Amino acid sequence: MLLKNLNLASMSGSYGLMQKAAILIENGHIKWVGPEVDAPSGPAVNCHGTLVTPGLIDCHTHLVYGGNRANEFEQRLNGADYAAIAKAGGGIMSTVRATRAASEENLLKSGLKRLDTLLAEGVTTVEIKSGYGLDVATEAKMLRVARKLEKQRAATIKNTFLGAHTFPAEYKENHQEYLNIVCNQSLKSAFEEGLVDAVDAFCEGIAFSVEETEAVFKAAKKLNLPVKLHAEQLSNLGGAKLAAKYGALSVDHIEYLDLDGVEAIQKSGTVAVLLPGAYYYLREKQAPPVAALRSRKVAIAIATDLNPGSSPVHSLLSTMNMACVLFGLTPEEALLGVTKNAAKALGLADRGEIKVGHRADLAFWDVERPGDLAYPLGFNPISAIIQNGQFSKAFA
Ligand code: DI6
Ligand code: FE
């Protein structure tokens, strides 16, 4: 398939702009890209001068879960705080109870609705974490649902095991026992079922300590799985430094990351994933250290963190806007954060830019310039979508 009359933003390095560009797709991959005048001959799809970017990548979501936490949203606005709700048995544990009780069929149905909302904005790759099961069977159930979601849509889904999301009520007083279950049972059996692409943990006062997180990372490394970490979201425990030591793909949240932490992830080539949705919903005051990340040239990605508690955000475009307004990212950094750098955060070398050899995952937009994508809130300028070389949404 040859596409002509494109306003290209390849996202190679920076926007990588080219007017009157053409793209040749073969076997789901980009075979050729360049000025239209140099394009191979043959019948072509006229793209009417629309802007084309790589398909967007949401590299951090928890979109498979049961129940909802609208009540906690209301409680917080009546003065309760996120950590206090969690300590009282709500928070993550509340979603754990609902997810354990939900059938696979219901999780699939509600997950599909959320996934489709993301995909409608030109998202073509989504990461989904477990972590609302916290027992062997339910962790596997969540990841199985994520694999089924991938079968039902042309999008790529990457599964992340998050058995170390928090200590379930039944092991609150016996961390060691739960760690044994995570490392030697849950992770192992989900891995053997082919359900795990990476391993994550929540390193925080209300969840796993640095030492406990390290035990999970060791178990991941034994299985040759890449790691990532929810780090320094509510406080600075030094989780990012540990993640860097284990060559983590990404450290996520990082509002409380200090300069030592920035330097550690710079050395390890770990991506800094910013989650402005959680910052916004929790009405957090401390913003992540964007200036330090920038000056050290750490790759910055952004993601929805779609989850029922701290970030019921179902829009990656809105997340780009929030990263700009709340964290001061430039629109260009925001777009790199959902393309090239988000691919890196998932360890995917075959997407995130429009270049030869990459997957033909493309989003077409009714906007003049790529910077316009981060500008509105609640408006979706998508025009067409190509997923793995095929139109999943055609030009109107
Ligand atoms: N941080 C988050 O933002 C999610 N998990 C985590 O460790 C959401 C957790 C939740 O409140 O359900
Ligand atoms: Fe998260």
Side-chain angles (χ1 to χ4, degrees):
M1 176 161 52
L2 181 62
L3 306 168
K4 275 190 172 170
N5 196 5
L6 285 163
N7 180 10
L8 176 80
S10 70
M11 305 315 289
S12 293
S14 54
Y15 281 139
L17 292 177
M18 186 191 292
Q19 302 268 350
K20 279 270 167 201
I23 297 174
L24 180 67
I25 298 172
E26 217 175 83
N27 298 324
H29 286 78
I30 293 163
K31 181 87 193 275
W32 185 92
V33 55
E36 194 178 291
V37 287
D38 300 333
S41 57
V45 178
N46 181 356
C47 298
H48 316 290
T50 51
L51 176 78
V52 62
T53 67
L56 307 188
I57 299 169
D58 193 348
C59 67
H60 181 142
T61 87
H62 308 246
L63 73 76
V64 172
Y65 63 82
N68 79 62
R69 308 237 296 277
N71 61 328
E72 291 181 9
F73 176 66
E74 191 153 6
Q75 281 167 21
R76 287 200 305 274
L77 288 165
N78 279 295
D81 111 312
Y82 180 73
I85 293 172
K87 281 191 190 122
I92 294 172
M93 271 320 289
S94 151
T95 301
V96 167
R97 290 186 290 275
T99 305
R100 285 177 181 175
S103 67
E104 214 169 292
E105 197 187 348
N106 273 337
L107 290 177
L108 188 62
K109 207 169 138 194
S110 58
L112 199 55
K113 216 165 171 177
R114 295 174 198 128
L115 176 65
D116 280 343
T117 309
L118 293 177
L119 300 189
E121 289 185 342
V123 173
T124 51
T125 299
V126 179
E127 185 254 19
I128 300 179
K129 301 175 195 294
S130 66
Y132 291 124
L134 309 185
D135 62 29
V136 178
T138 316
E139 287 294 304
K141 179 170 75 175
M142 292 182 72
L143 294 170
R144 228 177 275 127
V145 168
R147 288 280 193 248
K148 284 188 182 165
L149 287 172
E150 185 173 44
K151 288 216 176 71
Q152 298 205 4
R153 293 295 178 268
T156 301
I157 309 276
K158 297 299 278 183
N159 277 11
T160 299
F161 175 83
L162 181 57
H165 199 181
T166 191
F167 287 93
E170 50 295 12
Y171 295 99
K172 228 174 164 176
E173 306 306 326
N174 194 350
H175 284 195
Q176 194 51 49
E177 183 62 23
Y178 184 64
L179 263 177
N180 285 340
I181 292 172
V182 167
C183 298
N184 303 318
Q185 296 180 39
S186 297
L187 172 58
K188 223 165 142 246
S189 72
F191 175 76
E192 281 164 5
E193 209 183 311
L195 298 174
V196 184
D197 303 315
V199 174
D200 193 354
F202 185 20
C203 185
E204 191 55 68
I206 53 169
F208 283 64
S209 69
V210 171
E211 294 70 30
E212 290 162 348
T213 301
E214 183 159 24
V216 178
F217 282 180
K218 280 187 175 150
K221 287 294 153 195
K222 265 196 205 150
L223 301 173
N224 250 321
L225 288 166
V227 298
K228 30 179 65 233
L229 191 64
H230 283 73
E232 342 302 3
Q233 179 187 4
L234 308 168
S235 62
N236 181 15
L237 297 187
K241 269 200 228 168
L242 174 78
K245 185 174 139 196
Y246 281 80
L249 289 172
S250 69
V251 288
D252 303 41
H253 285 290
I254 59 169
E255 278 87 340
Y256 289 83
L257 185 66
D258 60 14
L259 210 54
D260 268 9
V262 172
E263 282 170 358
I265 63 169
Q266 180 207 6
K267 287 201 190 87
S268 59
T270 298
V271 177
V273 178
L274 309 185
L275 305 171
Y279 172 93
Y280 166 83
Y281 266 97
L282 298 183
R283 306 169 78 217
E284 180 57 65
K285 295 286 178 294
Q286 169 122 356
V290 169
L293 294 168
R294 247 187 215 136
S295 72
R296 273 83 182 164
K297 301 211 166 16
V298 174
I300 299 173
I302 60 182
T304 59
D305 195 18
L306 198 179
N307 76 68
S310 61
S311 188
V313 171
H314 296 66
S315 167
L316 194 54
L317 289 175
S318 302
T319 303
M320 290 166 66
N321 174 269
M322 288 157 83
C324 293
V325 174
L326 300 174
F327 296 161
L329 259 62
T330 65
E332 182 175 351
E333 287 171 327
L335 190 54
L336 282 164
V338 296
T339 54
K340 189 180 179 205
N341 293 342
K344 194 175 176 211
L346 294 178
L348 295 170
D350 66 343
R351 65 195 71 195
E353 296 171 62
I354 300 178
K355 67 178 196 190
V356 172
H358 269 215
R359 258 172 75 99
D361 287 345
L362 303 171
F364 303 79
W365 309 93
D366 274 327
V367 300
E368 265 176 48
R369 313 164 315 129
D372 298 358
L373 293 175
Y375 165 61
L377 201 51
F379 179 71
N380 181 7
I382 196 79
S383 166
I385 302 168
I386 287 183
Q387 185 78 79
N388 199 18
Q390 309 273 337
F391 276 103
S392 62
K393 174 183 165 58
F395 288 106

